[in-house]
Amino acid sequence: MPRTTVYKASIDYLQILDEDGVLDESLGMEDGRPILSDEQVMYLYEQMWIGRELDEIAFKLQRSGRMGTYPQNKGQEANGAGSGFAMKKGVDYIVPAYRENITMHMHGLPYHYILLHWMGDERGNKIPEGVLTTPISVPIGTHMLHAVGIAWSFKLRGERERCVITYFGDGATSEGDFHGAMNFASTLSVPLIFYCQNNQWAISVPHEQQMNSPTVAQKALAYEMPTIQVDGNDVFAVYKATRDARAHCVENCAPYFIEGVTYRLGDHTTADDARRYRSEEEVAQWAAKDPLIRTRKYLESREVWSDERQLELEGRAKKIVQEIVAAAEGIEPPVSDDMFVHMFAELDDDLRRQCETLRTSSIGQNPDQAGLKAEHQNA
Amino acid sequence: MPRTTVYKASIDYLQILDEDGVLDESLGMEDGRPILSDEQVMYLYEQMWIGRELDEIAFKLQRSGRMGTYPQNKGQEANGAGSGFAMKKGVDYIVPAYRENITMHMHGLPYHYILLHWMGDERGNKIPEGVLTTPISVPIGTHMLHAVGIAWSFKLRGERERCVITYFGDGATSEGDFHGAMNFASTLSVPLIFYCQNNQWAISVPHEQQMNSPTVAQKALAYEMPTIQVDGNDVFAVYKATRDARAHCVENCAPYFIEGVTYRLGDHTTADDARRYRSEEEVAQWAAKDPLIRTRKYLESREVWSDERQLELEGRAKKIVQEIVAAAEGIEPPVSDDMFVHMFAELDDDLRRQCETLRTSSIGQNPDQAGLKAEHQNA
Amino acid sequence: MAHLTLVQAINLALAQEMERDERVVILGEDVGINGGVFRVTEGLVQRFGEHRVQNTPLDESGIIGVSIGLAMAGMRPIPEIQFEGFLGPAYDQLVNHAARYRNRTRGAITIPLTLRVPVGGGIHAPELHSDSPEAIYTHSPGLKVVMPSTPRDAKGLLISAIRDPDPVIFFEPKRVYRSFREEVPEDEYTIPIGQAKVVNEGDDVTVVTWGASVFQCLEAMDNLPEDVSIELIDLRTIDPIDTDTIAASVEKTGRCVIVHEAPLTCGLGAELSARIQEQCFLHLEAPVQRVTGFDTVMPYYKLELEYLPNAERIGKGIRECLAY
Amino acid sequence: MAHLTLVQAINLALAQEMERDERVVILGEDVGINGGVFRVTEGLVQRFGEHRVQNTPLDESGIIGVSIGLAMAGMRPIPEIQFEGFLGPAYDQLVNHAARYRNRTRGAITIPLTLRVPVGGGIHAPELHSDSPEAIYTHSPGLKVVMPSTPRDAKGLLISAIRDPDPVIFFEPKRVYRSFREEVPEDEYTIPIGQAKVVNEGDDVTVVTWGASVFQCLEAMDNLPEDVSIELIDLRTIDPIDTDTIAASVEKTGRCVIVHEAPLTCGLGAELSARIQEQCFLHLEAPVQRVTGFDTVMPYYKLELEYLPNAERIGKGIRECLAY
Ligand SMILES: Cc1ncc(C[n+]2csc(CCOP(=O)(O)OP(=O)(O)O)c2C)c(N)n1
Ligand SMILES: Cc1ncc(C[n+]2csc(CCOP(=O)(O)OP(=O)(O)O)c2C)c(N)n1
Ligand SMILES: [Mg+2]
Ligand SMILES: [Mg+2]
């Protein structure tokens, strides 16, 4: 077998709802019905709208000094909404990065947790009992390995109906841990969906400086993992791909890769100014592909959406977000003890002493140590 | 474009000299002549033979306590020989792992350096001026990034005739740094050949526990890097693939991936006992594909090799290896100062003091420190 | 009671905990059929099956990252890293993830993992197989660090580590793996994490050490004049530090020598010295003395015994301290 | 002389060294058109071109590993890691490769790289953007570690680092980046690596610190009674440690307080305390006092000012030390 072909692969791209909100019926219909009912699409549209409203307000909170750095999800909402909807709440596990507010919320996390996180408060990560999501992950690329471990625990315990989904950006695919996660997931064969939100940029680094491959989806070939590229601004395509991926994962106890081709319409975070590195034309082109606009057009074409409903939603969203902000801002300030008490299940002597003497001592010096004069102790 | 194909790939496998030493003329001949002249093949055969003789003696040295852990190259020689021969000595850079003794030697490293390394002596890494190889690399997977940096320096300085080759095992492809090196090399577009010696095992971990992909070659697709799988026990295929890869790299200032399919016939290292985890049948199957045997058969079929030549070579190899061992064992023992003097170009006070007082002090205590009684100083 | 080496004692503890708690899984490079490169997990895959003793790809960051995921999902992973030198690629997952998860989630997510790692020099191993990075992980909040020096301590401490609800690095001094045997109870037992052991009582000087250096210290003591009375403390747990035991001893002796293999600067000896000074200032009759590895890269094996604190150098340190 | 912030002084030093030596290249995430997330490399890609100011993929291990290759092949790479918290993935390449290459090749291959990293807390940044890992790299032989606190020192030390034939980690206290301006000479100049600076002379107590804490110490001093005479030392270089300057001061004052942001246990303060004790034992009138971060994970920003040693806590430490 001198010169032979030992490997062949090809990758599909899926779009169902085009930029004008027109559904491809060959792909978007099953049993004569759209794969998402009008009610479902309205639900998803509302989730996306509320998510974007939260983004807007979060931006203002940061600008007015009421919150730290915040990364908007704007423009990418269909990825988190469509895929999150395909996952089973309370059964599946979500392992997000930081542009999946909608997914986390759909799976039960109260939104004010997310604000708390960006307000510099660890209580934003204190996921309530029964909510199956890990907290927002700031360090890039590290959390996908955790997702592998969670998925493997399902397999080990024989919980064969469960699946994990993990989200990450195009930039994250460059980290060594991305590679490790893909490799472990495929060799251990665990039920895990890798969802890459390819928003074309990692802060100021564009796709072509991040990777040489034209698609992110092809990275899965290295691991012999099934893979697909979808229009990430098309909630139908995202939903369908994820639903099918989930079925594949659960059935085969094996991983799946999805690249959602999308775009971050805002700055990287509130600490960023995207005008430094990308053109207005590029942004405008992608603004025309906005997932919210096209979903609304679709709903209008189905005659289930109207300007009134839109107005109602806008008002409702504002109120909801106000409440979220109030919840986040209404929390009592953390106390210094909070730094200590969660270090270990049981604190060792050093930590206990540091915690207890925080107010009376400079630490390093035990306040009841020989030689320390009483009058200076509480100075 | 609803559901379309966005990516297609295929990978070739190359074998020229089959297991019986028969040359595929359609691939192995150019301009009516074999791509390697008889003299060249004899040279490579001799290099491989000497390399294996060194392996045998190294094994004995370890067993008799004259050397530490040693990893044999046995069975994989065609990879290092054929590819090393395709690289330009004194122009290209070699970045090996630890089964490329022959390559390092062909590019100018005296063999006793390699023994010194495994004898626990850093002088084995003190690459002589003008020899373009990095030393043996024990930590898995980390050195390929260094190769990228070297290749990039060629590009930055406009040294457009130069190329780098780096070697690593199948196990090494699992490390995050492999991924990083592949990604940096392809996005920076640097002239670098990644040569994977896929010997089927990483100590006791077999291919299928190391990766889910049937080939290693397909890992390059993730980086849109040209890639080929070759019979790594076929010195013609290895040579041709590397020669062509090198031409591609230099011409395009870009990387290339080669998987050499091969087998480690010995234990992982002298610290290992491969019988614990793999079958005799498997080893026997691969022994039949031995690169030395098939190269010799080829030479015999060309009527340039005889039993006398073989006997002469065997005697010569023994003598050469004896001299190598003598050179390695004849070196004066290192002195403690050696630990210190190469820490920095210029030693700081602490290191200087530690070095100077090594014999007089326990360190930690300055011998001429206040309070230290003289009579105890030299006790 | 069985007469066991360190390797055997650890193997026994692993087997017993796997038997007892089916959430316990072992993962790492070569831990399966090969039993690990030091044979510490020998026989376990045969006994408990591949799903509980899993060979992994060659990726230390992956091993720890996946273990974190297992741990947060209710399992009790025991990852193995083959040599301490290969903790490097796993550093980020350990220090920035395993160590922080409980605190950053205010207790909602916890990481009960026990990382086993052979540690230290003295076995003529290749490069990066002989380091002593315990201070690195002690400086990193959120990890417990254990390093037993005897089979009996190893079994009890490993069982404690496995049952501990937080991440523990369990360093195994490879020089001691098969260097001697000791009576080790068959039954399960625990030794609390965080308690040092007074190996030898004495009045003139306190010697604090851990891991393989315990035996170098004992040898040094043998070589000293009989009238020098030494209190030898084996730390056993590196983090949290049992400052009380050390301070009580130094208050008695007034002198202290700390011995470790790691480089001097910013080694654990520095922390112990600082603490002793803070707590026993008025009792100290001499500066706390550190006898350690040098501030150089750990040399290849021809020079490793020059680098590691040996009985002679330790004896010198003790005499220097006494002579002050 | 120009009136420059720390960011500007560093930018100037980079530009001048790139001008002077064409082997100098900058690489890292966002260092190109964006000028880095802190704008430290602003304008450099426009001036020197993309081949010398290279945006890289998001892979810290890759950034350092590739820099090692560049350095061994004769270039003078200046990699940037965006925040000290993201040194984690690069730890192995730094500590096990960059730091060891010269020694393991007995001088045949050397790694002249300068790694720039913003460091420390106090700017209300997200998780893992506020740590102080300098002790980790000080414990690792083969690396130099620098942390200037002022624009003028930064320029001189950065130029020294770039010209240094060995790997240097150049930590930039991000809290100081734009907090004040200082006269900085236009011309190139160097400040030797390894020399501490006496910021303020005094007789009663020595305060040793570095990085942003210098300014907290100054504030603490302002709040203390005028008759307390404090000698303030800014270490500037963390490794090698300028023990002589510290010891000379403590021999004079008999008391010492060390201030750093990193956690207490096994922080650099421990090493300084141990050394001071070793060298100044008979001069010490009080235990060396450490005022540091706690042994907890660096908290999110709502609590970060509770964690970082502030003027009040430092003042308390100084008073405690004086009262001993
Ligand atoms: C390990 C690590 N390195 C660097 C950073 C700084 N950083 C934050 S976000 C970001 C870009 C991430 O890009 P991508 O993965 O594409 O996600 P996106 O922000 O585009 O959604 C960088 C470099 C980080 N958070 N973690
Ligand atoms: C980072 C790291 N982890 C683990 C090891 C221990 N180790 C040495 S060789 C080896 C297997 C390497 O397999 P492969 O890359 O296939 O090379 P081969 O030995 O088969 O040539 C392992 C795990 C190491 N040297 N470095
Ligand atoms: Mg992105
Ligand atoms: Mg292999």
Side-chain angles (χ1 to χ4, degrees):
Chain A
M1 46 167 191
R3 184 155 194 135
T4 50
T5 299
V6 280
Y7 184 76
K8 264 178 189 281
S10 77
I11 299 176
D12 279 0
Y13 171 86
L14 182 68
Q15 186 197 58
I16 299 177
L17 195 67
D18 75 10
E19 298 171 22
D20 297 320
V22 179
L23 193 79
D24 181 308
E25 304 214 335
S26 70
L27 296 163
M29 309 276 286
E30 277 170 10
D31 305 323
R33 271 182 259 135
I35 53 174
L36 288 166
S37 72
D38 292 343
E39 286 65 40
Q40 290 175 325
V41 180
M42 279 191 282
Y43 167 75
L44 290 171
Y45 177 65
E46 293 194 8
Q47 291 305 316
M48 294 196 285
W49 187 271
I50 295 164
R52 190 168 293 183
E53 176 68 23
L54 184 68
D55 259 7
E56 298 295 321
I57 299 303
F59 184 87
K60 289 184 185 151
L61 288 174
Q62 191 279 336
R63 282 295 187 269
S64 58
R66 290 156 68 190
M67 192 164 70
T69 308
Y70 175 84
Q72 290 194 325
N73 297 194
K74 186 176 177 184
Q76 306 182 208
E77 293 92 341
N79 296 279
S83 60
F85 192 64
M87 303 302 289
K88 286 214 166 58
K89 182 174 167 181
V91 173
D92 295 341
Y93 221 109
I94 313 295
V95 183
Y98 48 79
R99 296 198 208 274
E100 291 79 25
N101 293 351
I102 295 172
T103 324
M104 295 172 84
H105 178 63
M106 282 169 46
H107 281 258
L109 189 74
Y111 260 135
H112 70 275
Y113 277 70
I114 291 170
L115 293 190
L116 273 176
H117 176 102
W118 300 112
M119 285 174 171
D121 193 321
E122 286 88 348
R123 285 170 293 182
N125 299 335
K126 192 178 175 179
I127 309 297
E129 189 85 37
V131 175
L132 299 185
T133 176
T134 54
I136 280 168
S137 186
V138 162
I140 299 299
T142 51
H143 58 290
M144 292 100 94
L145 279 168
H146 310 162
V148 176
I150 297 170
W152 190 17
S153 83
F154 292 171
K155 182 177 182 179
L156 285 169
R157 289 192 297 256
E159 296 166 359
R160 288 297 154 85
E161 280 309 307
R162 303 182 73 181
C163 188
V164 182
I165 188 167
T166 183
Y167 297 89
F168 50 91
D170 42 321
T173 67
S174 293
E175 289 284 3
D177 279 355
F178 163 75
H179 176 63
M182 294 288 285
N183 193 36
F184 269 78
S186 58
T187 52
L188 293 171
S189 200
V190 298
L192 168 58
I193 299 171
F194 288 88
Y195 194 107
C196 179
Q197 292 214 42
N198 177 6
N199 66 4
Q200 315 305 324
W201 293 90
I203 311 186
S204 72
V205 179
H207 183 104
E208 62 278 11
Q209 288 187 337
Q210 194 66 246
M211 64 190 81
N212 192 44
S213 60
T215 72
V216 178
Q218 77 197 74
K219 296 192 179 295
L221 300 179
Y223 316 93
E224 198 72 6
M225 196 186 289
T227 180
I228 189 170
Q229 191 187 57
V230 305
D231 180 344
N233 288 3
D234 163 4
V235 75
F236 275 84
V238 170
Y239 167 73
K240 185 179 183 187
T242 312
R243 186 199 63 181
D244 295 352
R246 187 186 180 285
H248 174 95
C249 290
V250 167
E251 212 165 288
N252 302 285
C253 195
Y256 205 103
F257 192 89
I258 302 174
E259 173 190 358
V261 180
T262 187
Y263 196 78
R264 140 167 86 70
L265 286 175
D267 293 330
H268 169 68
T269 64
T270 48
D272 179 51
D273 177 3
R275 288 168 306 181
R276 293 175 66 91
Y277 52 79
R278 64 184 194 184
S279 70
E280 275 176 41
E281 299 84 70
E282 181 182 302
V283 179
Q285 260 171 35
W286 280 94
K289 305 184 189 184
D290 190 319
L292 272 63
I293 296 175
R294 83 170 84 164
T295 309
R296 178 173 169 183
K297 281 189 182 153
Y298 171 76
L299 287 173
E300 285 168 352
S301 77
R302 302 281 300 177
E303 298 183 351
V304 295
W305 200 255
S306 60
D307 287 354
E308 296 84 73
R309 290 203 75 149
Q310 178 66 25
L311 269 176
E312 184 276 332
L313 170 61
E314 290 179 12
R316 183 153 44 93
K318 281 208 162 55
K319 238 190 101 218
I320 290 171
V321 171
Q322 268 167 19
E323 285 166 15
I324 295 164
V325 173
E329 293 195 326
I331 195 170
E332 70 286 6
V335 295
S336 319
D337 281 23
D338 294 348
M339 288 192 277
F340 295 93
V341 293
H342 297 291
M343 281 304 298
F344 296 102
E346 213 178 305
L347 293 198
D348 58 68
D349 290 350
D350 287 327
L351 279 169
R352 206 174 308 120
R353 182 176 57 80
Q354 289 182 12
C355 181
E356 283 167 6
T357 64
L358 178 69
R359 302 264 164 247
T360 52
S361 145
S362 64
I363 80 149
Q365 207 76 324
N366 191 332
D368 38 50
Q369 173 181 306
L372 206 57
K373 288 183 201 138
E375 73 260 34
H376 281 88
Q377 271 187 42
N378 299 309
Chain B
M1 45 166 192
R3 183 155 196 136
T4 51
T5 298
V6 280
Y7 183 77
K8 262 179 190 281
S10 78
I11 299 176
D12 280 359
Y13 172 86
L14 182 68
Q15 186 196 57
I16 299 178
L17 195 66
D18 74 10
E19 298 172 20
D20 298 320
V22 179
L23 193 79
D24 182 308
E25 304 214 334
S26 70
L27 295 164
M29 309 277 283
E30 278 170 9
D31 304 324
R33 272 182 260 134
I35 53 174
L36 288 167
S37 71
D38 292 343
E39 286 65 40
Q40 289 174 327
V41 181
M42 278 191 283
Y43 167 75
L44 290 170
Y45 178 63
E46 294 194 7
Q47 291 305 315
M48 294 197 284
W49 188 272
I50 295 164
R52 189 168 294 184
E53 176 68 22
L54 184 68
D55 258 7
E56 298 294 322
I57 299 303
F59 183 86
K60 289 184 186 152
L61 287 173
Q62 191 279 335
R63 282 295 187 269
S64 59
R66 289 154 70 190
M67 191 164 71
T69 309
Y70 175 84
Q72 291 195 324
N73 297 194
K74 187 175 175 183
Q76 305 183 208
E77 293 93 341
N79 296 278
S83 61
F85 193 63
M87 303 302 290
K88 287 215 166 59
K89 181 174 167 180
V91 173
D92 295 341
Y93 221 109
I94 313 296
V95 183
Y98 49 79
R99 294 197 210 273
E100 290 80 24
N101 293 350
I102 295 172
T103 324
M104 296 171 84
H105 179 63
M106 281 170 46
H107 281 259
L109 188 74
Y111 260 135
H112 70 275
Y113 277 71
I114 291 171
L115 293 190
L116 274 176
H117 175 100
W118 299 112
M119 285 176 172
D121 193 323
E122 286 87 348
R123 285 171 292 182
N125 298 334
K126 192 178 176 178
I127 309 297
E129 189 84 39
V131 175
L132 301 184
T133 177
T134 52
I136 281 169
S137 187
V138 162
I140 300 297
T142 52
H143 58 289
M144 292 99 95
L145 279 168
H146 310 162
V148 176
I150 297 171
W152 189 16
S153 82
F154 293 171
K155 182 178 182 177
L156 284 169
R157 289 192 298 255
E159 296 165 359
R160 289 296 153 88
E161 280 309 308
R162 303 182 73 180
C163 188
V164 182
I165 188 166
T166 184
Y167 297 89
F168 49 92
D170 43 320
T173 66
S174 293
E175 289 284 4
D177 279 356
F178 163 76
H179 177 63
M182 294 289 285
N183 193 36
F184 269 78
S186 58
T187 53
L188 293 171
S189 201
V190 298
L192 169 58
I193 300 171
F194 288 88
Y195 194 107
C196 179
Q197 291 213 43
N198 177 6
N199 66 4
Q200 314 305 324
W201 292 90
I203 311 185
S204 73
V205 179
H207 183 102
E208 63 277 13
Q209 288 187 338
Q210 194 67 245
M211 65 190 81
N212 192 44
S213 61
T215 73
V216 177
Q218 77 199 73
K219 297 192 178 296
L221 301 178
Y223 316 92
E224 198 71 8
M225 197 187 290
T227 180
I228 189 170
Q229 191 187 57
V230 305
D231 180 345
N233 289 3
D234 163 3
V235 75
F236 275 84
V238 170
Y239 168 72
K240 185 178 183 183
T242 312
R243 186 199 64 182
D244 295 351
R246 188 186 179 283
H248 175 94
C249 290
V250 167
E251 211 167 288
N252 302 286
C253 196
Y256 204 103
F257 192 90
I258 302 174
E259 173 190 358
V261 180
T262 186
Y263 195 78
R264 138 167 89 70
L265 286 175
D267 293 331
H268 169 68
T269 64
T270 49
D272 179 51
D273 176 3
R275 288 167 306 181
R276 293 175 67 91
Y277 52 80
R278 65 186 193 183
S279 70
E280 275 176 40
E281 298 85 72
E282 182 183 302
V283 179
Q285 261 171 36
W286 280 94
K289 303 183 190 183
D290 190 319
L292 272 65
I293 297 174
R294 83 169 82 164
T295 309
R296 178 174 169 184
K297 279 188 184 156
Y298 171 78
L299 287 173
E300 284 169 352
S301 77
R302 301 282 299 176
E303 298 182 350
V304 295
W305 200 254
S306 60
D307 287 354
E308 295 85 74
R309 289 204 76 149
Q310 179 66 24
L311 269 176
E312 184 277 330
L313 170 60
E314 290 180 12
R316 184 153 43 92
K318 282 207 162 55
K319 239 191 99 217
I320 290 171
V321 172
Q322 268 168 17
E323 285 167 16
I324 294 164
V325 173
E329 294 196 325
I331 195 169
E332 71 284 5
V335 294
S336 320
D337 280 23
D338 295 347
M339 288 194 277
F340 295 93
V341 292
H342 297 292
M343 282 303 298
F344 295 103
E346 214 177 304
L347 293 198
D348 57 68
D349 291 349
D350 287 327
L351 278 170
R352 207 175 306 120
R353 183 175 57 79
Q354 289 183 11
C355 182
E356 283 167 7
T357 64
L358 177 69
R359 302 264 164 246
T360 52
S361 144
S362 65
I363 80 148
Q365 207 75 326
N366 192 332
D368 37 50
Q369 174 180 303
L372 205 56
K373 288 186 199 133
E375 72 261 34
H376 281 88
Q377 271 189 43
N378 300 310
Chain C
M1 291 266 255
H3 215 55
L4 303 182
T5 62
L6 189 67
V7 162
Q8 291 168 327
I10 295 169
N11 181 278
L12 180 62
L14 291 171
Q16 289 180 339
E17 285 302 289
M18 292 189 79
E19 194 67 65
R20 181 177 163 277
D21 183 349
E22 48 169 43
R23 298 170 307 171
V24 174
V25 294
I26 288 174
L27 65 157
E29 297 155 16
D30 303 292
V31 296
I33 184 84
N34 203 32
V37 288
F38 286 106
R39 311 279 179 260
V40 177
T41 56
E42 182 147 37
L44 297 178
V45 70
Q46 290 86 341
R47 185 155 157 206
F48 297 101
E50 283 205 11
H51 61 295
R52 293 189 64 198
V53 185
Q54 180 70 50
N55 271 352
T56 67
L58 211 174
D59 171 10
E60 289 76 13
S61 188
I63 292 168
I64 303 304
V66 168
S67 296
I68 291 170
L70 285 171
M72 64 170 72
M75 305 300 285
R76 290 286 177 277
I78 309 183
E80 171 182 306
I81 298 290
Q82 232 158 45
F83 286 87
E84 76 295 312
F86 310 131
L87 281 172
Y91 175 86
D92 188 55
Q93 285 289 348
L94 265 174
V95 164
N96 291 335
H97 299 277
R100 297 186 191 220
Y101 236 109
R102 178 189 286 275
N103 192 46
R104 69 187 285 268
T105 63
R106 291 298 184 244
I109 298 179
T110 59
I111 312 295
L113 71 78
T114 301
L115 166 58
R116 292 184 38 254
V117 200
V119 75
I123 65 157
H124 271 32
E127 180 175 23
L128 281 172
H129 288 64
S130 305
D131 283 342
S132 293
E134 66 272 15
I136 300 288
Y137 299 98
T138 303
H139 185 49
S140 306
L143 299 169
K144 299 183 183 181
V145 182
V146 172
M147 196 191 299
S149 71
T150 69
R152 191 195 300 237
D153 283 351
K155 182 177 171 190
L157 279 163
L158 181 53
I159 293 178
S160 292
I162 296 170
R163 297 182 189 174
D164 196 283
D166 286 302
V168 181
I169 304 184
F170 189 83
F171 281 119
E172 303 170 359
K174 54 181 95 90
R175 200 176 185 178
V176 186
Y177 263 151
R178 292 181 167 79
S179 68
F180 76 102
R181 288 167 188 271
E182 185 182 44
E183 294 301 317
V184 175
E186 280 291 355
D187 287 350
E188 298 164 30
Y189 60 95
T190 59
I191 293 177
I193 290 174
Q195 290 187 5
K197 179 171 74 175
V198 178
V199 179
N200 194 67
E201 292 194 10
D203 297 314
D204 296 340
V205 57
T206 303
V207 175
V208 182
T209 193
W210 53 92
S213 294
V214 169
F215 303 98
Q216 267 63 54
C217 289
L218 285 168
E219 192 189 328
M221 285 161 63
D222 280 347
N223 298 342
L224 283 169
E226 284 215 350
D227 63 340
V228 181
S229 166
I230 291 172
E231 181 135 313
L232 178 64
I233 296 176
D234 177 356
L235 222 45
R236 300 197 296 191
T237 294
I238 311 289
D239 183 8
I241 300 173
D242 182 356
T243 321
D244 289 348
T245 297
I246 299 170
S249 176
V250 178
E251 282 178 16
K252 178 174 66 172
T253 62
R255 298 174 192 268
C256 185
V257 176
I258 299 160
V259 180
H260 61 65
E261 295 189 7
L264 176 82
T265 297
C266 285
L268 190 76
E271 179 61 35
L272 296 178
S273 175
R275 286 184 181 212
I276 290 167
Q277 193 210 189
E278 283 158 13
Q279 309 237 336
C280 316
F281 188 70
L282 299 176
H283 298 88
L284 276 180
E285 289 165 38
V288 176
Q289 174 91 1
R290 294 181 285 167
V291 181
T292 67
F294 302 106
D295 284 327
T296 72
V297 171
M298 176 80 203
Y300 284 17
Y301 77 71
K302 274 189 187 171
L303 284 174
E304 76 171 331
L305 296 180
E306 298 276 311
Y307 180 91
L308 297 171
N310 57 14
E312 193 201 321
R313 195 138 70 82
I314 295 165
K316 207 180 278 180
I318 293 172
R319 273 192 247 107
E320 283 166 5
C321 184
L322 285 169
Y324 191 92
Chain D
M1 293 264 255
H3 215 55
L4 303 182
T5 62
L6 188 68
V7 163
Q8 291 167 328
I10 295 169
N11 181 278
L12 180 62
L14 291 171
Q16 288 181 338
E17 285 302 290
M18 291 189 80
E19 193 69 64
R20 181 177 163 277
D21 183 349
E22 51 169 39
R23 298 169 306 172
V24 173
V25 294
I26 288 174
L27 65 157
E29 296 155 14
D30 304 293
V31 296
I33 186 82
N34 204 32
V37 289
F38 284 106
R39 311 280 179 259
V40 177
T41 56
E42 182 148 36
L44 297 178
V45 70
Q46 292 84 343
R47 183 154 158 207
F48 297 101
E50 282 204 12
H51 59 298
R52 294 189 63 198
V53 185
Q54 180 70 50
N55 271 352
T56 66
L58 211 174
D59 171 11
E60 290 76 13
S61 188
I63 292 169
I64 302 304
V66 168
S67 295
I68 290 170
L70 285 172
M72 64 169 74
M75 306 299 287
R76 290 287 177 278
I78 309 182
E80 172 181 305
I81 298 290
Q82 231 159 46
F83 287 86
E84 77 296 309
F86 309 131
L87 281 172
Y91 175 86
D92 188 54
Q93 285 289 348
L94 264 174
V95 164
N96 291 335
H97 299 277
R100 296 185 193 221
Y101 236 110
R102 178 190 287 274
N103 193 46
R104 70 188 284 267
T105 63
R106 291 298 184 245
I109 297 179
T110 59
I111 311 294
L113 72 77
T114 302
L115 166 57
R116 291 185 37 252
V117 200
V119 75
I123 65 158
H124 271 33
E127 179 174 33
L128 280 172
H129 289 63
S130 306
D131 283 341
S132 293
E134 66 272 14
I136 300 287
Y137 299 97
T138 303
H139 186 48
S140 307
L143 299 170
K144 299 184 184 180
V145 182
V146 173
M147 196 192 297
S149 72
T150 70
R152 192 195 300 237
D153 283 351
K155 182 176 172 193
L157 279 164
L158 181 53
I159 293 179
S160 291
I162 296 170
R163 296 183 190 174
D164 196 282
D166 287 302
V168 180
I169 304 185
F170 188 86
F171 281 119
E172 303 170 359
K174 54 181 94 90
R175 199 175 184 178
V176 186
Y177 263 152
R178 292 182 168 79
S179 68
F180 75 103
R181 287 168 188 271
E182 186 182 45
E183 294 301 317
V184 176
E186 282 289 357
D187 288 348
E188 299 164 30
Y189 60 94
T190 59
I191 292 176
I193 291 174
Q195 291 188 4
K197 179 170 75 176
V198 177
V199 179
N200 193 67
E201 293 195 11
D203 298 313
D204 296 341
V205 58
T206 302
V207 175
V208 182
T209 193
W210 53 93
S213 293
V214 169
F215 303 97
Q216 267 63 51
C217 289
L218 285 168
E219 191 189 329
M221 285 161 63
D222 280 347
N223 298 342
L224 283 168
E226 285 216 349
D227 63 340
V228 181
S229 166
I230 291 172
E231 181 135 315
L232 177 65
I233 295 176
D234 177 356
L235 222 45
R236 301 197 295 191
T237 294
I238 311 290
D239 183 7
I241 300 172
D242 183 356
T243 320
D244 289 349
T245 298
I246 300 169
S249 175
V250 178
E251 282 178 16
K252 178 173 67 173
T253 61
R255 296 174 193 270
C256 185
V257 176
I258 298 159
V259 180
H260 62 67
E261 295 189 7
L264 176 81
T265 296
C266 287
L268 190 75
E271 179 61 35
L272 297 177
S273 175
R275 285 184 183 213
I276 290 167
Q277 193 210 188
E278 283 158 12
Q279 309 236 337
C280 316
F281 188 70
L282 299 177
H283 298 88
L284 276 179
E285 289 165 39
V288 177
Q289 174 91 2
R290 294 181 286 168
V291 181
T292 68
F294 301 106
D295 284 327
T296 71
V297 171
M298 176 80 204
Y300 284 19
Y301 78 71
K302 274 190 187 172
L303 284 173
E304 75 172 332
L305 296 180
E306 298 277 309
Y307 180 91
L308 298 171
N310 57 13
E312 192 200 323
R313 195 139 70 81
I314 296 164
K316 204 179 280 179
I318 293 172
R319 274 191 248 109
E320 283 165 5
C321 184
L322 285 169
Y324 193 91

